[in-house]
Amino acid sequence: MCISKLRTLIPGKIWVAVLGFTGMGIFQAAAVPVTVQETGIGANEVVQITSSTLGTQWVYAGTVNLLVNGTAEQGFCIDPFHWSISGPQAYNSESLGVGPKSPGGPMGAATALKIEQLWAQYYSPTLNNQNAAGLQIAIWDLVGGSNFQLDSSPDYGAADMLTWVNNNPTATAADLIAVTGPGQDYVIPNGPNIPRSVPDGGTTVLLLGMGFASLVVLRSKYLAVASSK
């Protein structure tokens, strides 16, 4: 895990409400393709975990060094259900709540917010091994739920981190995104070099067409009523 051997495409979708002539419509935001390569493990501890897909394994718990579209990023695994894959891989960048892929995700907005708050409170680029492991285990606990458990001890402070985030629902949150693909999925900081999800042009055009059609119908009815008076 990173899970190196550890770390998991269901492209994420974000639904946005749009108000128009047709009432409240819905359009999708499409995930943006990126190239992701895991280049190594940062600060970490080796722990034993059990997940519903990998069984019981000894894995690295800590920061992961990545290249995302050629830009160096440090992240964490959000997917204790799939092994990491070496070499450049085709991934998608998307909102954190949309990741990871099944069976861990989508995690939803509430869990994503907790991870962002944990990151803002505990992460730094110079994390030591113990704190990096604790933050990674806390993230796995949040995403994995009943399909994940830590078997070894200690937990490197993960339980205390989870207690803190549950007791501080309005804490400052970092700006993070998910990258999801054929290997395990990761959480990384949002930044100017990382493409974000954008509206799906085809769906948007369809809704605009529906709105225009509704406008034409309403105008026709208005003209019919006016001419009868």
Side-chain angles (χ1 to χ4, degrees):
M1 273 179 186
C2 39
I3 298 164
S4 262
K5 215 170 162 185
L6 240 210
R7 277 223 203 253
T8 297
L9 189 168
I10 299 175
K13 300 294 181 183
I14 303 170
W15 294 95
V16 183
V18 181
L19 184 62
F21 289 108
T22 57
M24 191 66 75
I26 301 293
F27 73 87
Q28 287 181 316
V32 177
V34 293
T35 300
V36 174
Q37 181 176 359
E38 186 175 311
T39 59
I41 309 304
N44 75 89
E45 297 286 352
V46 176
V47 300
Q48 187 180 67
I49 68 164
T50 298
S51 82
S52 59
T53 58
L54 299 182
T56 300
Q57 305 284 346
W58 287 94
V59 301
Y60 299 106
T63 57
V64 189
N65 298 324
L66 303 167
L67 286 177
V68 182
N69 279 357
T71 299
E73 298 286 347
Q74 194 170 74
F76 286 87
C77 170
I78 53 171
D79 182 6
F81 303 104
H82 299 83
W83 299 112
S84 60
I85 300 178
S86 61
Q89 303 293 328
Y91 269 64
N92 287 320
S93 71
E94 53 200 6
S95 296
L96 182 56
V98 177
K101 59 181 167 291
S102 178
M107 71 175 74
T111 298
L113 176 60
K114 288 184 178 181
I115 291 174
E116 291 173 328
Q117 290 169 328
L118 285 172
W119 187 295
Q121 178 70 11
Y122 294 107
Y123 173 78
S124 79
T126 58
L127 276 176
N128 62 30
N129 291 346
Q130 293 75 26
N131 291 340
L135 184 50
Q136 176 64 92
I137 293 165
I139 291 170
W140 284 337
D141 277 332
L142 286 170
V143 177
S146 61
N147 293 315
F148 166 85
Q149 69 181 35
L150 175 70
D151 299 319
S152 59
S153 62
D155 73 352
Y156 300 104
D160 291 338
M161 293 179 183
L162 292 171
T163 297
W164 174 85
V165 78
N166 288 328
N167 289 337
N168 291 275
T170 61
T172 300
D175 184 11
L176 306 176
I177 59 173
V179 286
T180 63
Q184 52 183 261
D185 298 344
Y186 308 95
V187 54
I188 61 172
N190 179 32
N193 296 320
I194 308 298
R196 293 300 300 269
S197 298
V198 296
D200 183 329
T203 307
T204 305
V205 169
L206 175 62
L207 285 168
L208 289 173
M210 292 170 60
F212 179 76
S214 297
L215 178 60
V216 170
V217 170
L218 288 174
R219 182 175 181 273
S220 298
K221 289 184 177 179
Y222 172 78
L223 290 175
V225 171
S227 61
S228 64
K229 289 182 179 181

